[in-house]
Amino acid sequence: MCYICIKIRNMIRYTFLLFILMVLSCSEKKASAPDVVTNTDTVQTPEAAVKDSVAVIDLSDAAQFLGKKPSEVGLFDQYNLKQRFKKLLGSEYETFIKDWNTESVIKKDEEILYFSACRANACDQNKYLVILDMADNNINIINIQNGRPRSFENKQIIGMSGNLLAEFERIKDSKGL
């Protein structure tokens, strides 16, 4: 075989090997990210709804409600959350409100507040986890229907770590809250 042919063949082999290593390294990085939940479906807010502006009020002092239920403190009526939830959930909002019967207290993990709720006597069928990032003024709502989570994001996905991730897993796998 000619010298040039051998060089080309070796170059192709090394390129292929490099490609395989790059693919494997990307896969390993994805699998090792413990603070990202990857088993949810993401539901994009309809483009028309995004164009409709809703006043965004700073969430930074919402931590004053820790340990209380959202309905106790009228949380949805504060920080313009009701309007932001409507915009975020679109046609799902009516079900969200209808099934918001049994709720947890507001908890905190670093700069993130979270709380959950479900339909009374049917938590295993439909539950919600609301996540409020006070630092970024961002909202995520995770709807878990029959054990399958769907995520609605205001700006971007809020990363879960520590207590929040444990709470998400617990809620997802339990029959109640």
Side-chain angles (χ1 to χ4, degrees), residues 16-67:
F16 181 74
L17 181 61
L18 182 62
F19 175 75
I20 296 297
L21 290 174
M22 286 178 16
V23 169
L24 290 175
S25 71
C26 289
S27 299
E28 290 173 358
K29 285 180 185 175
K30 231 182 198 181
S32 68
D35 60 339
V36 177
V37 177
T38 58
N39 60 344
T40 62
D41 295 332
T42 300
V43 178
Q44 296 296 325
T45 305
E47 191 173 312
V50 172
K51 290 180 182 176
D52 298 337
S53 64
V54 173
V56 177
I57 300 173
D58 186 24
L59 296 168
S60 61
D61 69 339
Q64 66 181 315
F65 301 119
L66 282 176

Side-chain angles (χ1 to χ4, degrees), residues 12-153:
I12 290 172
R13 284 182 184 166
Y14 290 126
T15 304
F16 181 74
L17 181 61
L18 182 62
F19 175 75
I20 296 297
L21 290 174
M22 286 178 16
V23 169
L24 290 175
S25 71
C26 289
S27 299
E28 290 173 358
K29 285 180 185 175
K30 231 182 198 181
S32 68
D35 60 339
V36 177
V37 177
T38 58
N39 60 344
T40 62
D41 295 332
T42 300
V43 178
Q44 296 296 325
T45 305
E47 191 173 312
V50 172
K51 290 180 182 176
D52 298 337
S53 64
V54 173
V56 177
I57 300 173
D58 186 24
L59 296 168
S60 61
D61 69 339
Q64 66 181 315
F65 301 119
L66 282 176
K68 297 182 176 156
K69 293 183 177 180
S71 62
E72 274 178 50
V73 296
L75 189 65
F76 289 9
D77 296 322
Q78 298 184 46
Y79 308 100
N80 208 17
L81 288 180
K82 189 181 289 185
Q83 300 306 61
R84 291 175 75 182
F85 289 170
K86 280 182 185 179
K87 180 180 172 185
L88 186 62
L89 293 169
S91 62
E92 300 276 332
Y93 179 75
E94 294 304 320
T95 304
F96 172 78
I97 292 300
K98 182 182 68 135
D99 287 355
W100 194 274
N101 307 127
T102 304
E103 58 187 355
S104 72
V105 297
I106 300 168
K107 299 175 187 172
K108 183 178 177 190
D109 187 11
E110 296 179 13
E111 290 301 308
I112 297 174
L113 295 180
Y114 59 95
F115 47 92
S116 56
C118 63
R119 184 168 20 133
N121 301 318
C123 274
D124 57 335
Q125 295 170 17
N126 196 27
K127 27 187 160 176
Y128 295 92
L129 175 63
V130 177
I131 305 168
L132 307 175
D133 185 339
M134 295 182 299
D136 193 27
N137 204 7
N138 187 14
I139 300 172
N140 287 182
I141 299 176
I142 299 175
N143 175 223
I144 304 167
Q145 288 185 333
N146 299 314
R148 184 166 184 218
R150 296 182 306 152
S151 179
F152 299 84
E153 296 89 24

